[in-house]
């Protein structure tokens, strides 16, 4: 690559060279917009919007138009920034803005003004009206950036908001002057979350955006959905969010405390049900279906209408309990050993330790056998950051340290990394590492170095890899009587204030490596903390003369990016500064990569523990070790992504199906009910499967007419002569058509019974069935992932096995959704029986009329209250 760069030139330089003519064009427009009034600037925004609106909806056209208006839009933002913040975008910030608009990562050194640079592409892309998301690493930065950059957008006529944990704010200045807008925190007003997303520009953290996406896909109506389409996002500190946090998925889950009780309850109930009276077994299909009589019996025992009040969850528990009771047999399908239900492999007869039946069946078997029921934590929804951010139509990022992870950004996110030159030459001195034999010797040397520099009043920032080391160094500095500030990421707002003061004369700050991101360390401190600009300049020049900020790293991180982030705190905007890492052979990185050999060399040379070795070759060896570690971690993240890709396609299908159901239900223009068509199609599919299964034999004399009739009776209430009627048909297609016609008539009867409520019932059953079974499916996929790794011992690729099994499970899920919807839609009732049970439920809960434990249960079961409903309501 080095030889190719010499021949053809560096790719980064060649790419940026193409952008300089655009920067020059923007600079030429500066004088034009200087003459505009504030109203004229806002009118220009309206003009841009009109141009975009007139263009066609095709992406290519939109892209072309945005590129055409880019110079004027960027010049407009620069003018707004000058008037509101008194900050003019540097040429390099404009370069970064173009790179971000093109959907790439802009690597900008610390202090080069990433936050201000982002306003350029944010404004341009917000003109489309589709919304722009700016992703930050914490709530403080989301609020700060909304306040800080809000005046620029407000002056140009765009709305700006932010979402933080449990709250959302809209930028609305309380005082607006002719040429300035205040930027105090007081200019944020609390608004509903949906309103914050409706703003043209929304700041927020990666967690909040991700969790809102998951919650939106659990919504029961369109009104509950807060996010708009995922149009364009700029991820600040992109390496931290898309790489460091990529291995941790977002999960919305609930503890299922009620689950064991329900399994035990239904395990007792099903023992009293009788075959051919309360349920029918289809041994060939290995299926069991409740009859109308069986459902009534269960409802009488529970005292509630399980389809109306208990919901899909009760139905699911009942069905699993019944399957466990009549289809699965001890010492054949499973054994009980050491108080555990262990599956017997039906093909080999071997015990399958660590494997569990899916869909709640295993818990039902545990309840049946009276062994402890393994507690469940139900995953409602989950997604990785990798897959969430790849859903955006256009994605960009910015950070001070992305180039060392350029390969991962390219392969996983299709993002190129472009290094933006600094506004002023970088003059920071990066000194070679000092290597010590022991950690104790290293920390002693760090304290001595801090003492020496503090004596000269030079500001020092000490970076540690953990809170533990952070506090240890703080105690050592206290013993030496050196005043200092301690940061370990416990309070972001306090953190920002301390980091901002870390550049003052004589300041000593001990921070974890992640601390202070998003806030510049200004030599001499912040100008606003001084009474006059002259006073600040004097303090600034004094620190400059002392050599600027000195960075001490107390350990090398396994990722070079983290070390570069720490180094990047010094040398901002052409300031002087220096950095040096202190390393010991006992550090994790050194121990893993050849620290023992170096220890032997130091022992043979009898080098004391507090005497360092400074050698560029050793520093290069450390960087080589870091590169290996980065490659290893990349492989892990890639591996996780490959597995999550399987689930991601399934999740996308389910969420689109949910959204379609919500839209179709609330579509006021539709004359007929689209959900009715959806459910009737499911009914047809279910009947086809049943008929085809029982008429698969070539000889019609062997067709199982009785089973078809029994299954139809379990689904809906057909005429009593169904059996004699279907015997007349000699082709599966005629049997199918006859049964479908009966099912449609039964559906019409159900519509007459439920009247206007039918549409709500259809939506409710579809959504609840999908949600309940999707939760079960997530659990199944998690168990599958744990188990496929064992298949590597059988020379099978676990990923291939996971894809194959996952595909099978997903099709099984879709079949179960259809079966459950069909099985429930005909059984929903809003009649007198339900009203009676509701009144019984109220009676149970009232203190005045509550019966004694030994009195007859008011639900009418004939049992004593303590043996019936008392456990639930008493």
């Amino acid at each position: 690559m080095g030889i190719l760069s010499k021949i053809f030139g560096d790719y980064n330089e060649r790419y940026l060279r193409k952008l300089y003519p655009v920067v020059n064009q923007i600079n030429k427009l500066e004088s034009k917009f200087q003459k505009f009034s504030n109203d004229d600037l806002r009118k220009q925004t309206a003009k841009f919007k009109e141009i975009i609106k007139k263009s066609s909806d095709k992406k290519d056209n939109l892209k072309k138009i945005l590129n055409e208006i880019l110079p004027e839009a960027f010049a407009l933002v620069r003018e707004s920034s000058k008037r509101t913040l008194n900050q003019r975008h540097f040429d390099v910030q404009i370069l970064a803005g173009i790179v971000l608009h093109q959907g790439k990562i802009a690597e900008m050194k610390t202090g080069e003004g990433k936050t201000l640079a982002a306003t350029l592409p944010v404004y341009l892309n917000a003109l489309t009206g589709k919304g722009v998301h700016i992703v930050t690493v914490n709530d403080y930065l989301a609020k700060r950036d909304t306040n800080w950059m809000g005046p620029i957008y407000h002056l140009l006529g765009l709305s700006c908001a932010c979402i933080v944990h449990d709250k959302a704010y809209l930028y609305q200045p309380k005082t607006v002057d002719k040429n300035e807008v205040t930027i105090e925190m007081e200019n944020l007003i609390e608004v509903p979350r949906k309103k914050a997303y409706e703003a043209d520009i929304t700041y927020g953290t990666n967690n909040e955006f991700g969790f809102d996406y998951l919650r939106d896909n659990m919504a029961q109506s369109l009104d509950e959905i807060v996010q708009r389409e995922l149009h364009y996002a700029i991820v600040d500190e992109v390496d931290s969010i898309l790489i460091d946090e990529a291995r941790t998925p977002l999960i919305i889950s609930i503890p299922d405390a009620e689950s064991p009780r329900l399994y035990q309850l239904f395990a007792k109930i099903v023992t009293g049900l009788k075959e051919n009276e309360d349920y029918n077994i289809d041994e060939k299909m290995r299926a069991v279906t409740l009859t109308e009589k069986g459902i009534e019996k269960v409802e009488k025992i529970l005292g509630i209408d399980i389809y109306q009040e208990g919901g899909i969850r009760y139905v699911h528990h009942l069905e699993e309990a019944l399957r466990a009771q009549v289809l699965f047999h001890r010492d054949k399908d499973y054994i009980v050993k050491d108080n555990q239900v262990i599956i017997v492999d039906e093909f080999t007869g071997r015990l399958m330790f660590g494997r569990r039946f899916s869909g709640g069946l295993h818990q039902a078997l545990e309840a049946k056998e009276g062994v402890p029921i393994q507690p469940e934590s139900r995953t409602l929804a989950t997604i990785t950051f990798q897959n969430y951010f790849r859903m955006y139509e256009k994605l960009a990022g910015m950070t001070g340290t992305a180039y060392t992870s350029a390969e991962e950004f390219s392969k996983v996110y299709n993002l190129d990394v472009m290094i933006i030159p600094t506004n002023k030459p970088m003059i920071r001195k990066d000194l070679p590492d000092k290597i010590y034999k022991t950690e104790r010797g290293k920390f002693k040397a760090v304290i001595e170095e801090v003492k020496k520099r503090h004596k000269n009043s030079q500001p020092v920032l000490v970076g540690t890899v953990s809170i533990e080391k952070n506090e240890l160094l703080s105690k050592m500095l206290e013993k030496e009587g050196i005043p200092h500030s301690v940061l370990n990421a416990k309070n972001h707002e306090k953190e920002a204030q301390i980091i901002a003061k870390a550049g003052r004369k004589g300041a000593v700050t001990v921070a974890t490596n992640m601390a202070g991101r998003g806030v510049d360390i200004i030599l001499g401190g912040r100008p606003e903390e001084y009474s006059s600009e002259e006073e600040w300049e004097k303090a600034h020049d004094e620190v400059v003369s002392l050599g600027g900020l000195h960075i001490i790293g107390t350990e090398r991180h396994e990722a070079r990016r983290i070390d570069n982030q720490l180094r990047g705190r010094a040398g901002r905007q052409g300031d002087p500064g220096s950095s040096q890492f202190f390393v010991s052979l006992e550090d994790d990185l050194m121990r893993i990569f050849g620290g023992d050999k170096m220890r032997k060399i130091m022992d043979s040379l009898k080098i004391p523990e507090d005497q360092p070795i400074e050698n560029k070759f050793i520093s290069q060896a450390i960087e080589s070790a870091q590169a290996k570690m980065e490659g290893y971690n990349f492989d892990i993240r890639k591996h996780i992504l490959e597995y999550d890709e399987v689930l991601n396609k399934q999740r996308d299908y389910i969420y689109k199906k949910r959204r379609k159901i919500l839209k179709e239900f609330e579509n006021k223009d539709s004359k007929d009910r689209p959900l009715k068509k959806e459910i009737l199609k499911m009914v047809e599919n279910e009947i086809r499967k049943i008929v085809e299964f029982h008429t698969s034999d070539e000889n019609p004399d062997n067709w199982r007419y009785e089973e078809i009739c029994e299954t139809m009776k379990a689904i809906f209430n057909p005429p009593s002569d169904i059996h004699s009627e279907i015997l007349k048909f000699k082709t599966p297609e005629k049997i199918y058509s006859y049964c479908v016609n009966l099912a449609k008539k039964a559906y019409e009867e159900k519509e007459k019974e439920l009247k206007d409520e039918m549409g709500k019932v259809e939506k409710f059953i579809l959504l609840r069935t999908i949600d309940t079974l999707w939760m079960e499916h997530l659990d199944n996929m998690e168990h599958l992932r744990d188990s496929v790794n064992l298949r590597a011992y059988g020379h099978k690729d676990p990923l291939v096995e996971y894809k194959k099994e996952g595909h099978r499970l997903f099709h099984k899920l879709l079949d179960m959704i259809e079966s459950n919807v069909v099985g429930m839609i005909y059984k929903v009732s809003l009649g007198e029986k339900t009203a009676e049970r509701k009144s019984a439920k109220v009676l149970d809960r009232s203190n005045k009329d509550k019966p004694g434990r030994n009195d007859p249960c008011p639900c009418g079961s004939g049992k004593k209250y303590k043996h019936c409903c008392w456990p639930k309501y008493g």
Side-chain angles (χ1 to χ4, degrees):
M1 286 299 291
I3 295 167
L4 290 173
S5 293
K6 285 175 184 177
I7 298 169
F8 299 107
D10 180 72
Y11 169 73
N12 196 83
E13 285 179 19
R14 281 187 285 123
Y15 176 82
L16 294 180
R17 211 176 292 135
K18 292 177 185 176
L19 303 183
Y20 281 113
V22 184
V23 176
N24 293 334
Q25 197 179 343
I26 293 164
N27 288 335
K28 285 175 185 175
L29 289 165
E30 190 166 9
S31 58
K32 174 187 171 181
F33 289 117
Q34 279 174 346
K35 297 168 187 173
F36 277 39
S37 67
N38 286 355
D39 283 340
D40 289 337
L41 295 180
R42 275 188 282 272
K43 284 175 184 174
Q44 189 65 31
T45 296
K47 185 181 172 184
F48 287 148
K49 285 185 174 181
E50 194 60 33
I51 292 169
I52 291 168
K53 195 175 180 181
K54 283 180 181 176
S55 69
S56 67
D57 294 332
K58 290 182 181 178
K59 287 181 189 176
D60 291 342
N61 274 2
L62 181 62
K63 185 179 176 182
K64 184 182 175 184
I65 285 160
L66 289 179
N67 287 335
E68 284 173 3
I69 66 172
L70 183 148
E72 282 195 288
F74 277 30
L76 199 69
V77 175
R78 179 190 259 178
E79 183 59 34
S80 179
S81 177
K82 281 158 62 180
R83 295 186 191 189
T84 56
L85 307 185
N86 198 27
Q87 292 182 11
R88 180 185 178 276
H89 293 78
F90 301 131
D91 285 1
V92 291
Q93 287 174 310
I94 291 174
L95 265 182
I98 300 169
V99 166
L100 291 170
H101 166 66
Q102 293 179 348
K104 300 181 189 295
I105 292 172
E107 181 180 293
M108 300 174 73
K109 298 296 180 191
T110 301
E112 291 296 304
K114 294 189 291 290
T115 310
L116 188 64
T119 58
L120 301 162
V122 164
Y123 169 77
L124 177 61
N125 285 271
L127 293 170
T128 62
K130 295 181 178 181
V132 174
H133 295 167
I134 302 97
V135 188
T136 65
V137 289
N138 60 52
D139 285 347
Y140 165 73
L141 290 176
K143 285 175 74 176
R144 185 206 70 172
D145 291 354
T146 307
N147 275 288
W148 189 10
M149 299 297 125
I152 297 175
Y153 308 124
H154 186 270
L155 184 61
L156 296 173
L158 294 183
S159 55
C160 179
C162 70
I163 53 165
V164 294
H165 185 59
D166 290 340
K167 288 186 179 178
Y169 299 94
L170 186 69
Y171 177 82
Q172 192 168 312
K174 292 193 175 177
T175 55
V176 183
D177 231 75
K178 286 182 182 178
N179 287 319
E180 74 172 333
V181 181
T182 58
I183 58 166
E184 299 303 317
M185 286 288 188
E186 64 186 21
N187 295 310
L188 290 184
I189 59 165
E190 196 169 334
V191 292
R193 216 167 182 80
K194 191 168 187 172
K195 194 170 178 65
Y197 276 111
E198 285 169 356
D200 296 303
I201 298 140
T202 308
Y203 286 84
T205 64
N206 49 324
N207 287 332
E208 293 305 313
F209 284 123
F211 279 129
D212 281 340
Y213 168 77
L214 292 177
R215 283 189 284 262
D216 280 355
N217 285 290
M218 293 160 60
Q220 297 301 308
S221 73
L222 290 177
D223 290 339
E224 293 175 25
I225 295 170
V226 296
Q227 270 188 0
R228 293 198 278 168
E229 60 188 303
L230 302 179
H231 168 55
Y232 176 53
I234 295 178
V235 183
D236 192 11
E237 306 297 357
V238 66
D239 51 331
S240 173
I241 291 171
L242 296 191
I243 291 182
D244 296 340
E245 296 188 36
R247 282 164 65 177
T248 309
L250 293 171
I251 298 172
I252 296 177
S253 64
I254 51 167
D256 196 11
E258 193 187 21
S259 186
R261 188 188 69 79
L262 287 176
Y263 282 118
Q264 289 160 351
L265 173 66
F266 283 103
K268 289 177 184 174
I269 289 172
V270 295
T271 55
L273 301 181
K274 296 176 183 175
E275 188 183 351
N276 297 327
E277 185 180 317
D278 302 318
Y279 61 87
N280 292 305
I281 299 174
D282 187 336
E283 291 185 20
K284 194 174 180 185
M285 283 188 82
R286 201 163 168 75
V288 58
T289 49
L290 280 158
T291 62
E292 197 69 42
K293 191 174 179 182
I295 292 165
E296 285 181 11
K297 187 183 281 189
V298 172
E299 288 179 337
K300 195 174 182 183
I301 294 167
L302 290 171
I304 61 169
D305 185 331
I306 60 170
Y307 287 93
Q308 194 62 28
E309 297 169 54
I312 290 166
R313 187 116 187 260
Y314 272 38
V315 177
H316 179 65
H317 275 85
L318 173 60
E319 288 175 348
E320 291 306 320
L322 192 57
R323 285 182 70 208
Q325 183 67 32
V326 301
L327 295 180
F328 288 79
H329 305 286
R330 185 169 176 166
D331 298 330
K332 180 190 171 192
D333 300 296
Y334 65 91
I335 68 162
V336 177
K337 185 179 180 183
D338 300 328
N339 248 3
Q340 290 182 359
V341 171
I342 300 168
I343 301 171
V344 176
D345 190 319
E346 62 178 309
F347 300 109
T348 66
R350 291 176 181 167
L351 299 182
M352 301 171 74
F353 293 99
R355 293 289 302 277
R356 293 176 66 80
F357 288 117
S358 62
L361 175 61
H362 211 96
Q363 284 84 357
L365 288 169
E366 288 168 335
K368 171 188 171 183
E369 297 297 341
V371 300
I373 298 173
Q374 196 166 307
E376 295 175 284
S377 176
R378 300 180 68 81
T379 299
L380 303 180
T382 178
I383 195 169
T384 61
F385 285 127
Q386 291 161 315
N387 276 319
Y388 172 71
F389 283 108
R390 292 198 307 175
M391 286 192 292
Y392 278 89
E393 200 175 305
K394 183 163 71 172
L395 183 66
M398 51 189 186
T399 180
T401 48
Y403 193 70
T404 53
S405 300
E407 182 190 1
E408 184 165 353
F409 282 122
S410 177
K411 286 183 177 177
V412 176
Y413 302 100
N414 199 26
L415 288 171
D416 292 333
V417 177
M418 308 311 302
I419 301 171
I420 308 299
T422 55
N423 185 46
K424 294 179 181 177
M426 173 69 73
I427 58 171
R428 185 186 67 228
K429 294 176 183 174
D430 294 329
L431 305 170
D433 296 357
K434 285 189 173 183
I435 296 151
Y436 295 83
K437 194 160 78 172
T438 65
E439 188 177 67
R440 187 176 63 178
K442 175 184 74 175
F443 281 139
K444 279 183 184 177
V446 168
I447 298 299
E448 287 303 312
E449 184 70 15
V450 173
K451 276 173 72 178
K452 183 178 82 174
R453 293 189 181 263
H454 182 65
K455 193 175 180 182
N456 296 330
S457 298
Q458 183 180 9
V460 179
L461 175 68
V462 184
T464 62
V465 294
S466 66
I467 292 172
E468 182 190 0
K469 302 285 171 65
N470 182 279
E471 291 171 348
L472 173 65
L473 266 174
S474 176
K475 286 176 184 174
M476 292 175 77
L477 287 169
E478 276 177 19
K479 281 185 183 178
E480 295 294 332
I482 299 171
H484 62 281
S485 300
V486 179
L487 284 180
N488 49 31
K490 288 179 179 173
N491 185 321
H492 288 300
E493 299 201 22
K494 184 182 176 185
E495 182 175 303
Q497 292 162 9
I498 294 172
I499 280 289
K501 293 176 182 176
R504 286 192 163 200
K505 182 182 175 183
V508 175
T509 311
V510 183
T512 51
N513 280 351
M514 60 77 64
R517 299 182 74 179
V519 184
D520 285 342
I521 297 177
I522 301 170
L523 299 188
R526 290 189 206 170
E528 56 265 31
E529 292 172 352
Y530 292 86
S531 57
S532 66
E533 194 174 333
E534 291 78 18
E535 190 182 343
W536 173 78
E537 283 179 0
K538 186 181 175 184
H540 173 78
D541 293 344
E542 196 173 354
V543 175
V544 168
S545 66
L546 294 168
L549 179 68
H550 181 66
I551 304 289
I552 296 177
T554 58
E555 197 168 326
R556 283 282 199 165
H557 197 275
E558 62 184 33
R560 288 168 290 176
R561 288 181 298 100
I562 310 298
D563 293 344
N564 292 339
Q565 284 161 13
L566 181 62
R567 274 198 166 122
R569 309 311 302 173
R572 61 177 292 280
Q573 287 293 328
D575 283 339
S578 52
S579 71
Q580 189 164 38
F581 278 85
F582 287 65
V583 181
S584 85
L585 300 182
E586 293 175 349
D587 294 346
D588 290 342
L589 194 71
M590 298 299 289
R591 278 191 300 99
I592 295 166
F593 293 97
D596 291 340
K597 292 177 184 176
M598 289 182 64
R599 178 184 283 277
K600 286 175 184 175
I601 294 168
M602 292 178 87
D603 284 341
S604 63
L605 295 172
K606 295 183 179 178
I607 295 171
E609 68 172 16
D610 58 349
Q611 185 177 325
I613 296 175
E614 283 186 47
N615 190 303
K616 283 191 176 180
F617 292 109
I618 294 172
S619 296
Q620 286 169 5
I622 292 170
E623 290 205 11
S624 172
Q626 287 175 310
K628 287 178 187 173
M629 223 35 211
E630 285 165 7
Y632 172 71
N633 288 330
F634 172 35
D635 288 341
I636 291 175
R637 287 188 290 268
K638 190 180 172 189
H639 187 65
I640 288 168
L641 183 63
E642 285 171 339
Y643 275 89
D644 195 58
E645 272 295 295
V646 178
L647 193 58
N648 193 51
K649 288 173 185 173
Q650 298 174 0
R651 175 173 45 236
D652 187 52
Y653 179 89
I654 291 292
Y655 285 175
K656 280 179 180 174
K657 193 173 184 69
R658 274 190 106 266
R659 194 67 63 96
K660 186 185 172 192
I661 290 166
L662 293 176
K663 284 178 181 175
E664 287 180 347
F665 173 73
E666 297 185 29
N667 183 8
K668 307 299 179 188
D669 299 328
S670 180
K671 291 178 183 177
D672 53 355
R673 295 197 316 276
L675 296 187
K676 175 186 174 180
K677 289 182 180 178
E678 177 100 6
I679 292 176
L680 284 176
K681 191 178 176 184
M682 290 181 176
V683 171
E684 289 170 14
N685 290 343
E686 193 66 17
I687 291 173
R688 184 173 290 283
K689 279 188 282 186
I690 293 161
V691 171
E692 284 179 355
F693 186 82
H694 290 295
T695 59
S696 57
D697 199 295
E698 291 181 7
N699 186 357
D701 294 336
N702 295 331
W703 290 356
R704 298 161 67 91
Y705 293 100
E706 186 69 36
E707 292 294 345
I708 294 172
C709 294
E710 290 298 329
T711 310
M712 292 305 118
K713 286 175 185 177
I715 294 173
F716 59 94
N717 192 20
S720 56
D721 63 346
I722 182 175
H723 190 265
S724 58
E725 284 296 317
I726 66 169
L727 285 171
K728 298 174 184 177
F729 304 119
K730 299 302 176 185
T731 65
E733 196 58 40
K734 285 184 178 179
I735 297 172
Y736 162 75
S737 298
Y738 175 74
C739 291
V740 166
N741 286 331
L742 290 179
K744 285 181 178 178
K745 285 178 185 176
Y747 202 89
E748 287 170 10
E749 290 298 315
K750 183 58 64 177
E751 284 181 296
K752 288 176 186 175
E753 180 192 336
L754 299 180
K755 298 175 183 174
D756 294 340
E757 296 298 311
M758 191 64 187
K760 292 177 185 175
V761 167
E762 288 165 344
K763 183 194 85 164
F764 175 79
I765 287 177
L766 280 167
L767 289 182
R768 287 299 297 269
T769 303
I770 289 169
D771 291 346
T772 304
L773 295 176
W774 175 244
M775 280 192 285
E776 300 287 356
H777 181 70
L778 289 175
D779 291 339
N780 297 345
M781 292 296 284
E782 194 176 330
H783 291 313
L784 173 65
R785 186 166 171 183
D786 291 338
S787 65
V788 291
N789 291 324
L790 298 172
R791 301 189 190 184
Y793 293 109
H795 304 290
K796 291 182 178 179
D797 185 339
L799 180 61
V800 172
E801 292 294 302
Y802 181 75
K803 285 179 179 178
K804 192 165 66 178
E805 286 288 310
H807 182 74
R808 184 186 63 79
L809 282 175
F810 187 64
H811 280 280
K812 186 180 175 185
L813 165 72
L814 298 181
D815 287 342
M816 283 181 72
I817 289 171
E818 281 198 352
S819 298
N820 283 22
V821 168
V822 172
M824 287 188 68
I825 194 68
Y826 291 97
K827 297 180 177 69
V828 177
S829 173
L830 299 175
E832 291 178 3
K833 193 164 62 173
T834 306
E836 285 171 14
R837 287 187 182 129
K838 282 184 179 176
S839 64
K841 192 171 168 184
V842 173
L843 176 68
D844 273 352
R845 287 180 170 176
S846 73
N847 290 321
K848 184 180 176 183
D849 298 320
K850 188 183 286 184
R853 290 178 63 190
N854 292 310
D855 290 341
C857 188
C859 75
S861 65
K863 294 184 179 182
K864 289 183 179 180
Y865 184 48
K866 67 178 179 181
H867 296 311
C868 193
C869 294
W870 182 82
K872 186 168 185 178
Y873 302 124

